[in-house]
Amino acid sequence: MKNEANKNYCPAQEAFKVLANKWSLLIIKELSSEKMRFNAIKKKIEGISSRELSKRLEVLEEIGAISRNIISIKPIMVEYSLTEAGKELTDAIEILHDWTIKNKKNIKHIEKLVRV
């Protein structure tokens, strides 16, 4: 891959491109405790539109973080859950969460200087 030949390339950048979206992290958080259907996820995540939720679920499924399981055909009922990779991702997000809490003061200071 072109980026991998670049000595400044960091594989984590690819993950951050997907996870930097605030909805992705919230979806993963909600699915970390239980399998959920679309409307249940939507009710838990205040402010997300159906279109955005659908898009984020599709992206998270494509990267292997969640799985989509069709429960019944008529009416179609779909359940979402974390895959093993998604569970590993949850562990990584927890570590990042803890680091953020620990360094919140510095992060808030930088946020004002660099419009993140």
Side-chain angles (χ1 to χ4, degrees):
M1 194 189 282
K2 184 179 178 182
N3 285 343
E4 291 175 7
N6 181 347
K7 65 181 175 182
N8 295 323
Y9 174 75
C10 173
Q13 289 173 318
E14 299 300 320
F16 282 119
K17 285 178 191 175
V18 173
L19 299 175
N21 178 289
K22 71 177 181 179
W23 304 119
S24 296
L25 293 176
L26 292 172
I27 292 166
I28 291 169
K29 177 184 171 269
E30 291 304 331
L31 291 174
S32 67
S33 58
E34 63 183 316
K35 297 177 182 181
M36 298 177 81
R37 296 202 318 244
F38 186 92
N39 285 332
I41 299 169
K42 190 170 184 315
K43 284 179 186 173
K44 290 268 191 171
I45 302 176
E46 188 176 319
I48 192 168
S49 69
S50 294
R51 183 174 185 225
E52 186 65 26
L53 177 55
S54 181
K55 202 181 333 178
R56 290 296 117 209
L57 288 169
E58 185 179 321
V59 169
L60 291 170
E61 184 180 11
E62 284 181 28
I63 67 166
I66 66 170
S67 63
R68 181 177 185 268
N69 183 29
I70 298 173
I71 301 168
S72 71
I73 303 300
K74 287 192 180 187
I76 290 183
M77 291 175 57
V78 178
E79 190 173 70
Y80 296 91
S81 61
L82 291 180
T83 61
E84 284 305 313
K87 290 174 186 172
E88 290 176 17
L89 185 55
T90 301
D91 295 341
I93 291 168
E94 270 300 313
I95 292 168
L96 184 58
H97 173 268
D98 294 346
W99 180 88
T100 303
I101 297 301
K102 183 179 173 184
N103 294 282
K104 191 172 189 172
K105 179 182 169 192
N106 296 336
I107 293 169
K108 288 290 182 188
H109 173 72
I110 295 299
E111 197 174 87
K112 292 174 187 173
L113 297 175
V114 185
R115 303 256 175 184
V116 179

PDB file of all heavy atoms in Angstrom, residues 15-16 18-32 45 56 60 82 89-90 92-94 96-97:
ATOM      1  N   ALA A  15      -7.557   3.336  11.655  1.00  0.00           N
ATOM      2  CA  ALA A  15      -8.617   3.093  12.633  1.00  0.00           C
ATOM      3  C   ALA A  15      -9.217   4.408  13.118  1.00  0.00           C
ATOM      4  O   ALA A  15     -10.434   4.530  13.245  1.00  0.00           O
ATOM      5  CB  ALA A  15      -8.066   2.286  13.805  1.00  0.00           C
ATOM      6  N   PHE A  16      -8.367   5.395  13.366  1.00  0.00           N
ATOM      7  CA  PHE A  16      -8.871   6.674  13.857  1.00  0.00           C
ATOM      8  C   PHE A  16      -9.767   7.369  12.839  1.00  0.00           C
ATOM      9  O   PHE A  16     -10.675   8.101  13.223  1.00  0.00           O
ATOM     10  CB  PHE A  16      -7.731   7.588  14.298  1.00  0.00           C
ATOM     11  CG  PHE A  16      -7.182   7.232  15.652  1.00  0.00           C
ATOM     12  CD1 PHE A  16      -5.858   6.867  15.798  1.00  0.00           C
ATOM     13  CD2 PHE A  16      -7.991   7.244  16.776  1.00  0.00           C
ATOM     14  CE1 PHE A  16      -5.356   6.527  17.042  1.00  0.00           C
ATOM     15  CE2 PHE A  16      -7.506   6.904  18.024  1.00  0.00           C
ATOM     16  CZ  PHE A  16      -6.180   6.548  18.156  1.00  0.00           C
ATOM     17  N   VAL A  18     -12.001   6.013  11.080  1.00  0.00           N
ATOM     18  CA  VAL A  18     -13.336   5.443  11.284  1.00  0.00           C
ATOM     19  C   VAL A  18     -13.865   5.824  12.669  1.00  0.00           C
ATOM     20  O   VAL A  18     -15.009   6.225  12.824  1.00  0.00           O
ATOM     21  CB  VAL A  18     -13.306   3.906  11.143  1.00  0.00           C
ATOM     22  CG1 VAL A  18     -14.643   3.297  11.520  1.00  0.00           C
ATOM     23  CG2 VAL A  18     -12.927   3.512   9.729  1.00  0.00           C
ATOM     24  N   LEU A  19     -13.035   5.718  13.668  1.00  0.00           N
ATOM     25  CA  LEU A  19     -13.482   5.900  15.046  1.00  0.00           C
ATOM     26  C   LEU A  19     -13.590   7.358  15.469  1.00  0.00           C
ATOM     27  O   LEU A  19     -14.239   7.652  16.471  1.00  0.00           O
ATOM     28  CB  LEU A  19     -12.552   5.153  15.995  1.00  0.00           C
ATOM     29  CG  LEU A  19     -12.505   3.648  15.757  1.00  0.00           C
ATOM     30  CD1 LEU A  19     -11.463   3.009  16.646  1.00  0.00           C
ATOM     31  CD2 LEU A  19     -13.868   3.019  15.973  1.00  0.00           C
ATOM     32  N   ALA A  20     -12.992   8.269  14.719  1.00  0.00           N
ATOM     33  CA  ALA A  20     -13.049   9.679  15.083  1.00  0.00           C
ATOM     34  C   ALA A  20     -14.473  10.219  15.018  1.00  0.00           C
ATOM     35  O   ALA A  20     -14.790  11.221  15.647  1.00  0.00           O
ATOM     36  CB  ALA A  20     -12.129  10.496  14.183  1.00  0.00           C
ATOM     37  N   ASN A  21     -15.328   9.554  14.307  1.00  0.00           N
ATOM     38  CA  ASN A  21     -16.724   9.944  14.260  1.00  0.00           C
ATOM     39  C   ASN A  21     -17.348   9.672  15.629  1.00  0.00           C
ATOM     40  O   ASN A  21     -17.276   8.555  16.135  1.00  0.00           O
ATOM     41  CB  ASN A  21     -17.435   9.137  13.165  1.00  0.00           C
ATOM     42  CG  ASN A  21     -18.896   9.443  13.085  1.00  0.00           C
ATOM     43  OD1 ASN A  21     -19.665   9.070  13.959  1.00  0.00           O
ATOM     44  ND2 ASN A  21     -19.279  10.124  12.030  1.00  0.00           N
ATOM     45  N   LYS A  22     -17.963  10.678  16.232  1.00  0.00           N
ATOM     46  CA  LYS A  22     -18.486  10.507  17.593  1.00  0.00           C
ATOM     47  C   LYS A  22     -19.536   9.416  17.688  1.00  0.00           C
ATOM     48  O   LYS A  22     -19.667   8.759  18.713  1.00  0.00           O
ATOM     49  CB  LYS A  22     -19.058  11.817  18.127  1.00  0.00           C
ATOM     50  CG  LYS A  22     -20.355  12.259  17.487  1.00  0.00           C
ATOM     51  CD  LYS A  22     -20.851  13.525  18.142  1.00  0.00           C
ATOM     52  CE  LYS A  22     -22.153  13.987  17.541  1.00  0.00           C
ATOM     53  NZ  LYS A  22     -22.657  15.184  18.182  1.00  0.00           N
ATOM     54  N   TRP A  23     -20.262   9.168  16.646  1.00  0.00           N
ATOM     55  CA  TRP A  23     -21.305   8.152  16.686  1.00  0.00           C
ATOM     56  C   TRP A  23     -20.718   6.751  16.767  1.00  0.00           C
ATOM     57  O   TRP A  23     -21.273   5.889  17.448  1.00  0.00           O
ATOM     58  CB  TRP A  23     -22.235   8.278  15.482  1.00  0.00           C
ATOM     59  CG  TRP A  23     -22.864   9.628  15.346  1.00  0.00           C
ATOM     60  CD1 TRP A  23     -22.724  10.488  14.295  1.00  0.00           C
ATOM     61  CD2 TRP A  23     -23.738  10.286  16.268  1.00  0.00           C
ATOM     62  NE1 TRP A  23     -23.448  11.631  14.521  1.00  0.00           N
ATOM     63  CE2 TRP A  23     -24.080  11.529  15.724  1.00  0.00           C
ATOM     64  CE3 TRP A  23     -24.256   9.937  17.514  1.00  0.00           C
ATOM     65  CZ2 TRP A  23     -24.925  12.431  16.376  1.00  0.00           C
ATOM     66  CZ3 TRP A  23     -25.096  10.834  18.164  1.00  0.00           C
ATOM     67  CH2 TRP A  23     -25.420  12.068  17.592  1.00  0.00           C
ATOM     68  N   SER A  24     -19.618   6.516  16.094  1.00  0.00           N
ATOM     69  CA  SER A  24     -19.010   5.178  16.100  1.00  0.00           C
ATOM     70  C   SER A  24     -18.671   4.728  17.512  1.00  0.00           C
ATOM     71  O   SER A  24     -18.965   3.597  17.905  1.00  0.00           O
ATOM     72  CB  SER A  24     -17.747   5.151  15.234  1.00  0.00           C
ATOM     73  OG  SER A  24     -18.065   5.394  13.887  1.00  0.00           O
ATOM     74  N   LEU A  25     -18.064   5.602  18.281  1.00  0.00           N
ATOM     75  CA  LEU A  25     -17.691   5.254  19.658  1.00  0.00           C
ATOM     76  C   LEU A  25     -18.923   4.998  20.519  1.00  0.00           C
ATOM     77  O   LEU A  25     -18.939   4.080  21.336  1.00  0.00           O
ATOM     78  CB  LEU A  25     -16.835   6.358  20.277  1.00  0.00           C
ATOM     79  CG  LEU A  25     -15.456   6.549  19.659  1.00  0.00           C
ATOM     80  CD1 LEU A  25     -14.741   7.729  20.303  1.00  0.00           C
ATOM     81  CD2 LEU A  25     -14.626   5.287  19.774  1.00  0.00           C
ATOM     82  N   LEU A  26     -19.964   5.794  20.320  1.00  0.00           N
ATOM     83  CA  LEU A  26     -21.179   5.604  21.106  1.00  0.00           C
ATOM     84  C   LEU A  26     -21.889   4.301  20.751  1.00  0.00           C
ATOM     85  O   LEU A  26     -22.416   3.611  21.632  1.00  0.00           O
ATOM     86  CB  LEU A  26     -22.126   6.794  20.915  1.00  0.00           C
ATOM     87  CG  LEU A  26     -21.621   8.112  21.500  1.00  0.00           C
ATOM     88  CD1 LEU A  26     -22.540   9.255  21.097  1.00  0.00           C
ATOM     89  CD2 LEU A  26     -21.516   8.023  23.011  1.00  0.00           C
ATOM     90  N   ILE A  27     -21.881   3.949  19.484  1.00  0.00           N
ATOM     91  CA  ILE A  27     -22.491   2.683  19.055  1.00  0.00           C
ATOM     92  C   ILE A  27     -21.737   1.510  19.674  1.00  0.00           C
ATOM     93  O   ILE A  27     -22.344   0.583  20.219  1.00  0.00           O
ATOM     94  CB  ILE A  27     -22.516   2.576  17.522  1.00  0.00           C
ATOM     95  CG1 ILE A  27     -23.485   3.605  16.944  1.00  0.00           C
ATOM     96  CG2 ILE A  27     -22.890   1.160  17.075  1.00  0.00           C
ATOM     97  CD1 ILE A  27     -23.353   3.816  15.438  1.00  0.00           C
ATOM     98  N   ILE A  28     -20.424   1.554  19.602  1.00  0.00           N
ATOM     99  CA  ILE A  28     -19.609   0.484  20.184  1.00  0.00           C
ATOM    100  C   ILE A  28     -19.865   0.392  21.683  1.00  0.00           C
ATOM    101  O   ILE A  28     -20.014  -0.697  22.235  1.00  0.00           O
ATOM    102  CB  ILE A  28     -18.118   0.697  19.872  1.00  0.00           C
ATOM    103  CG1 ILE A  28     -17.880   0.472  18.380  1.00  0.00           C
ATOM    104  CG2 ILE A  28     -17.241  -0.228  20.712  1.00  0.00           C
ATOM    105  CD1 ILE A  28     -16.527   0.910  17.893  1.00  0.00           C
ATOM    106  N   LYS A  29     -19.949   1.530  22.350  1.00  0.00           N
ATOM    107  CA  LYS A  29     -20.225   1.549  23.793  1.00  0.00           C
ATOM    108  C   LYS A  29     -21.555   0.865  24.083  1.00  0.00           C
ATOM    109  O   LYS A  29     -21.649   0.038  24.997  1.00  0.00           O
ATOM    110  CB  LYS A  29     -20.258   2.986  24.291  1.00  0.00           C
ATOM    111  CG  LYS A  29     -20.604   3.126  25.753  1.00  0.00           C
ATOM    112  CD  LYS A  29     -20.699   4.609  26.130  1.00  0.00           C
ATOM    113  CE  LYS A  29     -21.260   4.803  27.504  1.00  0.00           C
ATOM    114  NZ  LYS A  29     -22.703   4.964  27.540  1.00  0.00           N
ATOM    115  N   GLU A  30     -22.592   1.193  23.340  1.00  0.00           N
ATOM    116  CA  GLU A  30     -23.914   0.600  23.589  1.00  0.00           C
ATOM    117  C   GLU A  30     -23.914  -0.910  23.332  1.00  0.00           C
ATOM    118  O   GLU A  30     -24.541  -1.665  24.063  1.00  0.00           O
ATOM    119  CB  GLU A  30     -24.988   1.281  22.735  1.00  0.00           C
ATOM    120  CG  GLU A  30     -25.278   2.710  23.129  1.00  0.00           C
ATOM    121  CD  GLU A  30     -25.686   2.891  24.580  1.00  0.00           C
ATOM    122  OE1 GLU A  30     -26.266   1.962  25.181  1.00  0.00           O
ATOM    123  OE2 GLU A  30     -25.410   3.968  25.134  1.00  0.00           O
ATOM    124  N   LEU A  31     -23.211  -1.335  22.299  1.00  0.00           N
ATOM    125  CA  LEU A  31     -23.187  -2.757  21.964  1.00  0.00           C
ATOM    126  C   LEU A  31     -22.246  -3.560  22.858  1.00  0.00           C
ATOM    127  O   LEU A  31     -22.270  -4.791  22.827  1.00  0.00           O
ATOM    128  CB  LEU A  31     -22.808  -2.950  20.490  1.00  0.00           C
ATOM    129  CG  LEU A  31     -23.855  -2.481  19.482  1.00  0.00           C
ATOM    130  CD1 LEU A  31     -23.314  -2.594  18.068  1.00  0.00           C
ATOM    131  CD2 LEU A  31     -25.149  -3.272  19.629  1.00  0.00           C
ATOM    132  N   SER A  32     -21.450  -2.872  23.667  1.00  0.00           N
ATOM    133  CA  SER A  32     -20.496  -3.591  24.517  1.00  0.00           C
ATOM    134  C   SER A  32     -21.188  -4.390  25.622  1.00  0.00           C
ATOM    135  O   SER A  32     -20.635  -5.361  26.123  1.00  0.00           O
ATOM    136  CB  SER A  32     -19.481  -2.630  25.134  1.00  0.00           C
ATOM    137  OG  SER A  32     -20.109  -1.771  26.058  1.00  0.00           O
ATOM    138  N   ILE A  45     -28.935   6.377  21.805  1.00  0.00           N
ATOM    139  CA  ILE A  45     -27.987   7.407  21.373  1.00  0.00           C
ATOM    140  C   ILE A  45     -28.756   8.662  20.954  1.00  0.00           C
ATOM    141  O   ILE A  45     -29.240   8.773  19.839  1.00  0.00           O
ATOM    142  CB  ILE A  45     -27.092   6.899  20.225  1.00  0.00           C
ATOM    143  CG1 ILE A  45     -26.345   5.646  20.672  1.00  0.00           C
ATOM    144  CG2 ILE A  45     -26.125   7.997  19.785  1.00  0.00           C
ATOM    145  CD1 ILE A  45     -25.514   5.001  19.595  1.00  0.00           C
ATOM    146  N   ARG A  56     -23.221   4.418  10.000  1.00  0.00           N
ATOM    147  CA  ARG A  56     -22.195   4.032  10.971  1.00  0.00           C
ATOM    148  C   ARG A  56     -22.193   2.523  11.207  1.00  0.00           C
ATOM    149  O   ARG A  56     -21.140   1.913  11.316  1.00  0.00           O
ATOM    150  CB  ARG A  56     -22.412   4.737  12.315  1.00  0.00           C
ATOM    151  CG  ARG A  56     -22.157   6.207  12.320  1.00  0.00           C
ATOM    152  CD  ARG A  56     -20.707   6.537  12.038  1.00  0.00           C
ATOM    153  NE  ARG A  56     -20.658   7.297  10.807  1.00  0.00           N
ATOM    154  CZ  ARG A  56     -19.659   7.324   9.946  1.00  0.00           C
ATOM    155  NH1 ARG A  56     -18.573   6.638  10.142  1.00  0.00           N
ATOM    156  NH2 ARG A  56     -19.714   8.034   8.850  1.00  0.00           N
ATOM    157  N   LEU A  60     -18.993   0.097  10.601  1.00  0.00           N
ATOM    158  CA  LEU A  60     -18.475  -0.744  11.680  1.00  0.00           C
ATOM    159  C   LEU A  60     -18.547  -2.223  11.320  1.00  0.00           C
ATOM    160  O   LEU A  60     -17.677  -3.000  11.706  1.00  0.00           O
ATOM    161  CB  LEU A  60     -19.222  -0.458  12.980  1.00  0.00           C
ATOM    162  CG  LEU A  60     -18.944   0.918  13.595  1.00  0.00           C
ATOM    163  CD1 LEU A  60     -19.914   1.209  14.733  1.00  0.00           C
ATOM    164  CD2 LEU A  60     -17.507   1.032  14.060  1.00  0.00           C
ATOM    165  N   LEU A  82     -21.267  -6.941  19.000  1.00  0.00           N
ATOM    166  CA  LEU A  82     -19.832  -6.802  18.780  1.00  0.00           C
ATOM    167  C   LEU A  82     -19.238  -8.147  18.372  1.00  0.00           C
ATOM    168  O   LEU A  82     -19.628  -9.191  18.896  1.00  0.00           O
ATOM    169  CB  LEU A  82     -19.123  -6.319  20.042  1.00  0.00           C
ATOM    170  CG  LEU A  82     -19.388  -4.888  20.492  1.00  0.00           C
ATOM    171  CD1 LEU A  82     -18.604  -4.600  21.761  1.00  0.00           C
ATOM    172  CD2 LEU A  82     -19.046  -3.886  19.419  1.00  0.00           C
ATOM    173  N   LEU A  89     -11.596  -3.952  20.493  1.00  0.00           N
ATOM    174  CA  LEU A  89     -11.651  -2.507  20.279  1.00  0.00           C
ATOM    175  C   LEU A  89     -12.219  -1.809  21.511  1.00  0.00           C
ATOM    176  O   LEU A  89     -11.741  -0.751  21.914  1.00  0.00           O
ATOM    177  CB  LEU A  89     -12.499  -2.205  19.040  1.00  0.00           C
ATOM    178  CG  LEU A  89     -12.591  -0.771  18.580  1.00  0.00           C
ATOM    179  CD1 LEU A  89     -11.208  -0.175  18.355  1.00  0.00           C
ATOM    180  CD2 LEU A  89     -13.415  -0.705  17.303  1.00  0.00           C
ATOM    181  N   THR A  90     -13.215  -2.421  22.130  1.00  0.00           N
ATOM    182  CA  THR A  90     -13.801  -1.870  23.355  1.00  0.00           C
ATOM    183  C   THR A  90     -12.737  -1.751  24.437  1.00  0.00           C
ATOM    184  O   THR A  90     -12.682  -0.744  25.156  1.00  0.00           O
ATOM    185  CB  THR A  90     -14.963  -2.760  23.846  1.00  0.00           C
ATOM    186  OG1 THR A  90     -15.940  -2.827  22.812  1.00  0.00           O
ATOM    187  CG2 THR A  90     -15.603  -2.212  25.097  1.00  0.00           C
ATOM    188  N   ALA A  92      -9.541  -1.339  23.965  1.00  0.00           N
ATOM    189  CA  ALA A  92      -8.661  -0.232  23.578  1.00  0.00           C
ATOM    190  C   ALA A  92      -9.327   1.120  23.856  1.00  0.00           C
ATOM    191  O   ALA A  92      -8.672   2.065  24.312  1.00  0.00           O
ATOM    192  CB  ALA A  92      -8.288  -0.345  22.100  1.00  0.00           C
ATOM    193  N   ILE A  93     -10.615   1.201  23.607  1.00  0.00           N
ATOM    194  CA  ILE A  93     -11.355   2.443  23.856  1.00  0.00           C
ATOM    195  C   ILE A  93     -11.382   2.746  25.351  1.00  0.00           C
ATOM    196  O   ILE A  93     -11.258   3.900  25.763  1.00  0.00           O
ATOM    197  CB  ILE A  93     -12.779   2.362  23.265  1.00  0.00           C
ATOM    198  CG1 ILE A  93     -12.701   2.354  21.732  1.00  0.00           C
ATOM    199  CG2 ILE A  93     -13.638   3.525  23.746  1.00  0.00           C
ATOM    200  CD1 ILE A  93     -14.006   1.994  21.037  1.00  0.00           C
ATOM    201  N   GLU A  94     -11.513   1.715  26.178  1.00  0.00           N
ATOM    202  CA  GLU A  94     -11.479   1.897  27.644  1.00  0.00           C
ATOM    203  C   GLU A  94     -10.149   2.499  28.080  1.00  0.00           C
ATOM    204  O   GLU A  94     -10.112   3.397  28.916  1.00  0.00           O
ATOM    205  CB  GLU A  94     -11.691   0.565  28.367  1.00  0.00           C
ATOM    206  CG  GLU A  94     -13.114   0.226  28.661  1.00  0.00           C
ATOM    207  CD  GLU A  94     -13.821   1.238  29.552  1.00  0.00           C
ATOM    208  OE1 GLU A  94     -13.289   1.671  30.602  1.00  0.00           O
ATOM    209  OE2 GLU A  94     -14.938   1.601  29.179  1.00  0.00           O
ATOM    210  N   LEU A  96      -8.114   4.304  26.246  1.00  0.00           N
ATOM    211  CA  LEU A  96      -8.107   5.683  25.763  1.00  0.00           C
ATOM    212  C   LEU A  96      -8.999   6.563  26.637  1.00  0.00           C
ATOM    213  O   LEU A  96      -8.639   7.694  26.968  1.00  0.00           O
ATOM    214  CB  LEU A  96      -8.551   5.737  24.299  1.00  0.00           C
ATOM    215  CG  LEU A  96      -8.505   7.089  23.614  1.00  0.00           C
ATOM    216  CD1 LEU A  96      -7.100   7.673  23.651  1.00  0.00           C
ATOM    217  CD2 LEU A  96      -8.990   6.962  22.179  1.00  0.00           C
ATOM    218  N   HIS A  97     -10.137   6.027  27.047  1.00  0.00           N
ATOM    219  CA  HIS A  97     -11.049   6.754  27.936  1.00  0.00           C
ATOM    220  C   HIS A  97     -10.348   7.097  29.253  1.00  0.00           C
ATOM    221  O   HIS A  97     -10.401   8.244  29.712  1.00  0.00           O
ATOM    222  CB  HIS A  97     -12.297   5.900  28.198  1.00  0.00           C
ATOM    223  CG  HIS A  97     -13.219   6.481  29.228  1.00  0.00           C
ATOM    224  ND1 HIS A  97     -13.129   6.149  30.555  1.00  0.00           N
ATOM    225  CD2 HIS A  97     -14.224   7.377  29.118  1.00  0.00           C
ATOM    226  CE1 HIS A  97     -14.049   6.822  31.227  1.00  0.00           C
ATOM    227  NE2 HIS A  97     -14.730   7.566  30.379  1.00  0.00           N
TER     228      HIS A  97
END
